[in-house]
């Protein structure tokens, strides 16, 4: 029983991290129809900034800078690269973000070098809370709390604020939204900023001993990769689906790690996604694409 | 070799263009003359080129064969795939299991190597076709991420089945290709041309050049023929293709089978290139059959121009050739290897940065890749 509770706790904690990443991913997709393969690199970039500034600014200041930097990088990618390729097919733009991902990943990995693995979870790294005979690790607990607050805040803003209205309008119909006076570039840039910020917040929980293991920040890009199946199986057009997808991925991973082995956990995530996609080709909550002949 | 084989790249590469006009007899004679000249050049290259450069060019040809398969799948049939490294693994493992005899606790059938090669390619094609239940239902980016799951699956299977794929620490060995008593790995029978001993590197170069050439001609035939037309119909509009009587599911399966076969052949070439060593990866994101390789192949076909066979060869030269050629060119010249703050710009880092940037620039400025640039240059000459 306590093993099962442990699996649930680990799964939910990691699921919260994936949900943060996947939500940013989906927001970017909704506003620009671009699959952002550089999402893991946005996170890694934010993490690197935190790592670099931590000795001078302290954890909190560095974390703030990292989040802002990742958001700025997101806006930069959107404004400098994607906004200049409006005519390109969305699959080409996805490939473009793969190029961006390769560049950022290579450069950050090179800068990190082979030195000792950096960890970013200073305030909650050593926290442990007992719960029904199981323990929840600090990073996972704080990830869960942060995710509840941020994701809750996002849905409120998405539903009730003007920003949320413009974003929903634009994803519904870009031309009509533009004719209604919605400034398209503001919507897309804010979506990329939000995606970058959420990714950088997620990295604060990934680059910790319980989540990334001994490799710390250097393993973060690979872990963040699990946000893709999360977003895809939830349905790329649905923010709610991203949260569900994140939890499904987290639970699949933790139960596979517990009952089979750690290597299979990485595969299980993708197998779950494959099964969902075969049953529902647009994900659990995704909008089925209408094709006009 | 990139120079020798890419010589045919700037020729017309019909992308959306269907049906070629009948070739004038004189032009067809010229074309045969061209192929003959190419064969002679490829035959002579190993005699004049030093061994290290042969190693680079055989690696590039490995990439070229794989990239041709992927460019047909993505560029011609319009199916995004990030699973190419998985099919490399399938080909390599199949060849190793079929050709080696089962000693040291490994599974092996001990078949003749040439037969094993053919069967390995066939098995890879069948695995590609078996992906049909997924590839038939999904499209675009969903298919891309779904295919990525194959790489993870292959990585895990190779790890848990060391008797088939070898252990991650020491791997297992496969036999060299032995064609009618001529061994392509060892020096039996010994051979010397113009006083140059023909060793392993020279033999592999001939073998790889021949395989690349065959792969190119087969792909050319597929792209220019009925299969290619069906693929482009599916790529351009699935519903319209169905209306015209093209079975979308079957064409997608065919495309995955063909691209799987090419990747399988490339996988066997990878095993030969490593002197017969087959070794599964430690991590899923770095190694011979990892997601990084899947993305490298994607970069090749994007850089070369989606759908262009000649472009795929150029892309392979850029992506696979650069990390090997930089150390050769900068040999003994310490200033050529930049360093900053203790973490050096190694050739691999430089290559990654370069092809990342190339992918971005090509999508932004020249979506047709090097193939389009080549076409434009060729057009300038032919039109005066």
């Amino acid at each position: 029983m306590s093993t099962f509770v442990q699996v649930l706790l680990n799964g939910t904690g990691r699921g919260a991290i994936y949900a943060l990443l996947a939500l940013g991913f989906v927001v970017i997709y909704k506003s620009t129809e671009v699959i952002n393969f550089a999402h893991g690199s946005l996170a890694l970039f934010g993490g690197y900034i935190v790592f670099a500034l931590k000795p001078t600014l302290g954890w909190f200041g560095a974390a703030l800078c990292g989040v802002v930097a990742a958001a700025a990088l997101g806006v930069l990618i959107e404004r400098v690269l994607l906004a200049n390729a409006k005519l390109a097919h969305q699959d080409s733009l996805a490939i473009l973000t793969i190029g961006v991902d390769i560049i950022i990943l290579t450069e950050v990995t090179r800068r990190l070098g082979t030195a000792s693995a950096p960890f970013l979870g200073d305030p909650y790294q050593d926290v442990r809370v007992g719960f029904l005979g199981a323990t929840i690790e600090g990073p996972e607990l704080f990830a869960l709390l942060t995710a509840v607050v941020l994701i809750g805040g996002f849905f409120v803003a998405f539903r009730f604020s003007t920003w949320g209205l413009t974003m929903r309008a634009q994803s519904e119909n870009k031309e009509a939204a533009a004719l209604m006076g919605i400034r398209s570039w503001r919507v897309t840039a804010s979506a990329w900023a939000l995606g970058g910020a959420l990714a950088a917040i997620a990295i604060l929980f990934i680059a910790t001993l319980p989540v990334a293991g001994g490799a710390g920040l250097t393993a973060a890009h690979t872990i963040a990769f699990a946000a893709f199946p999360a977003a895809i199986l939830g349905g790329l057009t649905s923010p709610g689906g991203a949260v569900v997808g994140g939890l499904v991925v987290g639970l699949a991973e933790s139960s596979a790690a517990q009952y089979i082995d750690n290597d299979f956990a990485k595969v299980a995530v993708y197998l779950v996604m494959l099964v969902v996609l075969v049953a529902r080709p647009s994900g659990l909550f995704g909008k089925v694409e209408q094709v006009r002949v | 070799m990139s120079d020798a084989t890419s010589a045919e790249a700037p020729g017309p590469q019909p992308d959306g263009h269907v049906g070629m006009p009948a070739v004038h007899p004189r032009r067809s004679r010229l074309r045969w003359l061209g192929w003959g000249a190419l064969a002679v050049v490829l035959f002579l290259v190993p005699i004049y080129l030093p061994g290290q450069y042969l190693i680079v060019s055989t690696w590039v040809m490995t990439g070229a064969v794989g990239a041709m398969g992927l460019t047909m799948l993505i560029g011609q049939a319009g199916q995004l795939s990030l699973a190419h490294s998985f099919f490399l693994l399938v080909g390599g493992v199949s060849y190793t299991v079929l050709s080696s005899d089962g000693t040291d606790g490994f599974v092996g059938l001990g078949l003749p190597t040439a037969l094993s090669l053919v069967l390995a390619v066939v098995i890879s094609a069948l695995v590609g076709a078996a992906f049909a239940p997924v590839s038939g239902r999904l499209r675009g980016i969903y298919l891309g991420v779904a295919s990525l799951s194959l790489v993870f699956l292959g990585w895990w299977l190779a790890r848990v089945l060391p008797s088939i794929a070898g252990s991650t620490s020491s791997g297992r060995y496969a036999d060299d290709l032995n064609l009618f008593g001529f061994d392509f790995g060892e020096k039996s029978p010994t051979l010397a041309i113009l006083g140059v001993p023909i060793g392993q590197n020279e033999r592999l170069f001939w073998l790889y050049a021949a395989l690349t050439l065959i792969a190119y001609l087969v792909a050319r035939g597929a792209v220019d023929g009925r299969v290619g037309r069906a693929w482009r119909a599916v790529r351009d509009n699935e519903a319209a293709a169905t209306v015209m009587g093209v079975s979308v599911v079957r064409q997608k399966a065919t495309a995955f089978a063909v691209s799987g076969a090419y990747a399988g052949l490339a996988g066997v070439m990878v095993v030969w290139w490593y002197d017969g060593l087959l070794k599964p990866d430690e991590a899923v994101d770095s190694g011979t059959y990892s997601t990084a390789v899947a993305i490298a192949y994607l970069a090749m076909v994007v850089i070369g121009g989606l759908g262009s066979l000649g472009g795929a060869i150029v892309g392979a030269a850029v992506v696979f050739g650069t990390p090997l050629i930089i150390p050769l060119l900068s040999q003994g010249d310490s200033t050529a290897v930049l360093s900053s703050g203790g973490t050096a710009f190694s050739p691999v880092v430089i290559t990654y940065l370069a092809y990342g940037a190339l992918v971005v620039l090509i999508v932004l400025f020249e979506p047709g890749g090097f193939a389009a640039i080549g076409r434009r240059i060729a057009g300038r000459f032919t039109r005066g």
Side-chain angles (χ1 to χ4, degrees):
Chain A
M1 178 62 197
S2 65
T3 326
F4 182 65
V5 175
Q6 187 67 56
V7 167
L8 283 185
L9 283 181
N10 290 349
T12 323
R14 298 193 75 138
I17 299 173
Y18 295 139
L20 284 174
L21 286 162
L23 181 64
F25 192 75
V26 163
V27 167
I28 288 175
Y29 182 79
K30 270 187 93 74
S31 71
T32 48
E33 299 217 323
V34 174
I35 301 284
N36 178 24
F37 276 98
H39 214 66
S41 284
L42 278 182
L44 191 64
F45 176 76
Y48 176 73
I49 298 290
V50 179
F51 162 70
L53 295 180
K54 213 164 61 167
T56 44
L57 295 181
W59 184 85
F60 196 78
L64 206 63
C65 288
V67 171
V68 172
L73 181 65
V75 174
L76 206 67
I77 293 173
E78 198 277 322
R79 282 289 91 200
V80 175
L81 300 178
L82 298 175
N84 289 315
K86 282 212 174 82
L87 295 177
H89 190 262
Q90 45 166 309
D91 288 359
S92 311
L93 294 179
I95 290 172
L96 186 147
T97 62
I98 291 181
V100 174
D101 184 65
I102 295 170
I103 296 174
I104 301 175
L105 173 64
T106 309
E107 181 57 16
V108 173
T109 320
R110 186 188 68 79
R111 281 168 181 271
L112 288 174
T114 48
S116 60
F119 292 105
L120 304 177
D122 298 12
Y124 40 80
Q125 178 85 44
D126 302 317
V127 178
R128 270 195 188 78
V129 181
F131 183 77
L132 288 180
T135 48
I136 180 161
E137 303 274 355
E140 289 174 350
L141 176 66
F142 277 80
L144 192 57
L145 296 176
T146 314
V148 167
V149 172
L150 288 180
I151 293 174
F154 167 81
F155 279 109
V156 170
F158 195 62
R159 180 74 187 81
F160 297 109
S161 74
T162 323
W163 170 80
L165 186 67
T166 56
M167 182 152 284
R168 279 180 288 142
Q170 180 163 327
S171 76
E172 204 68 43
N173 188 331
K174 203 161 190 168
E175 280 80 24
L179 290 173
M180 292 296 140
I182 291 171
R183 267 171 276 197
S184 161
W185 76 268
R186 278 196 190 175
V187 178
T188 50
S190 68
W192 276 82
L194 182 66
L198 287 177
I201 292 169
I203 202 89
L204 296 173
F205 305 112
I206 293 178
T208 55
L209 196 58
V211 179
L217 185 57
T218 38
H221 187 268
T222 315
I223 295 173
F225 224 78
F228 289 93
I232 295 266
L233 79 83
L236 276 174
T237 49
S238 156
V243 178
V244 175
L247 287 176
V248 170
V249 163
L251 289 170
E253 199 181 339
S254 72
S255 50
Q258 176 65 42
Y259 297 114
I260 301 171
D261 67 23
N262 264 326
D263 286 336
F264 187 69
K266 291 174 195 159
V267 184
V269 167
Y270 283 86
L271 292 183
V272 169
M273 176 193 72
L274 215 51
V275 171
V276 169
L277 282 185
V278 169
R280 293 183 63 93
S282 298
L284 289 174
F285 305 100
K287 194 167 65 182
V288 178
E289 222 175 300
Q290 304 289 325
V291 185
R292 204 170 287 204
V293 182
Chain B
M1 101 90 214
S2 58
D3 289 336
T5 323
S6 65
E8 79 241 10
Q13 302 285 344
D15 185 15
H17 168 80
V18 187
M20 283 190 158
V23 184
H24 192 272
R26 200 189 307 147
R27 278 196 67 186
S28 103
R29 212 173 304 144
L30 263 178
R31 184 175 291 176
W32 280 111
L33 216 64
W35 285 113
L38 182 67
V40 171
V41 168
L42 286 178
F43 179 76
L44 289 177
V45 162
I47 294 164
Y48 292 104
L49 207 62
Q52 314 111 296
Y53 289 93
L54 290 178
I55 294 174
V56 176
S57 40
T58 43
W59 186 236
V60 167
M61 286 190 271
T62 308
V65 170
M68 280 193 266
L70 191 62
T71 209
M72 281 190 278
L73 182 63
I74 300 183
Q76 296 285 339
Q79 306 303 307
L80 184 60
S81 163
L82 292 169
H84 221 53
S85 55
F86 166 74
F87 291 105
L88 291 180
L89 180 66
V90 171
V93 169
S94 309
Y95 174 79
T96 310
V97 168
L98 292 169
S99 69
S100 56
D101 38 359
T103 47
D104 304 332
F106 291 126
V107 177
L109 300 179
L111 296 178
T113 47
L115 179 65
S116 307
L117 170 63
V118 174
L119 286 179
V121 172
V122 171
I123 291 173
S124 314
L126 290 178
V127 173
F131 194 54
V134 179
S135 63
R137 290 178 66 80
L138 304 178
R139 66 170 80 97
I141 224 76
Y142 283 95
L143 181 57
V145 181
S147 65
L148 193 61
S149 55
L150 290 180
V151 180
F152 281 78
L153 192 64
W155 168 76
W156 179 73
L157 285 176
R159 277 176 80 90
V160 294
L161 299 171
S163 63
I164 290 178
S167 73
T168 48
S169 53
S170 54
R172 67 180 290 193
Y173 280 89
D175 291 339
D176 316 311
L177 183 67
N178 192 317
L179 215 55
F180 309 114
F182 186 84
D183 194 300
F184 282 94
E186 289 160 16
K187 293 172 183 172
S188 73
T190 48
L191 181 68
I193 293 176
L194 298 176
V196 180
I198 300 299
Q200 190 195 8
N201 292 336
E202 287 79 7
R203 289 169 191 224
L204 271 192
F205 183 90
W206 282 342
L207 175 63
Y208 281 29
L211 288 175
T212 310
L213 218 55
I214 294 169
Y216 177 83
L217 290 175
V218 171
R220 184 86 270 158
V223 167
D224 288 345
R226 184 188 162 94
V227 187
R229 278 198 296 278
W231 284 345
R232 287 188 290 275
V234 171
R235 173 192 69 186
D236 293 341
N237 192 324
E238 289 187 8
T242 313
V243 172
M244 288 191 290
V246 177
S247 163
V248 171
V249 174
R250 188 194 296 168
Q251 289 309 328
K252 283 186 177 181
T254 315
F256 265 96
V258 170
S259 121
Y262 272 74
L265 176 59
V268 180
M269 290 163 81
V270 168
V271 170
W272 285 334
W273 194 81
Y274 282 113
D275 293 332
L277 175 67
L278 170 77
K279 196 163 93 63
D281 296 327
E282 298 270 359
V284 70
D285 57 347
S286 64
T288 326
Y289 309 103
S290 60
T291 52
V293 173
I295 287 174
Y297 272 102
L298 185 67
M300 283 182 213
V301 301
V302 171
I303 290 171
L306 284 176
S308 156
L309 296 171
I313 297 172
V314 177
V318 171
V319 172
F320 269 13
T322 326
L324 297 181
I325 207 85
I326 290 175
L328 286 186
L329 296 179
S330 63
Q331 229 168 25
D333 182 10
S334 58
T335 52
V337 179
L338 309 163
S339 69
S340 100
T343 40
F345 277 99
S346 67
V348 176
V349 167
I350 295 176
T351 311
Y352 273 119
L353 290 177
Y355 81 65
L358 263 180
V359 167
V360 171
L361 292 176
I362 278 174
V363 174
L364 279 182
F365 298 113
E366 184 62 275
F370 275 110
I373 297 173
R375 262 200 299 279
R376 203 177 297 160
I377 294 171
R380 188 155 294 172
F381 280 110
T382 49
R383 278 180 220 123

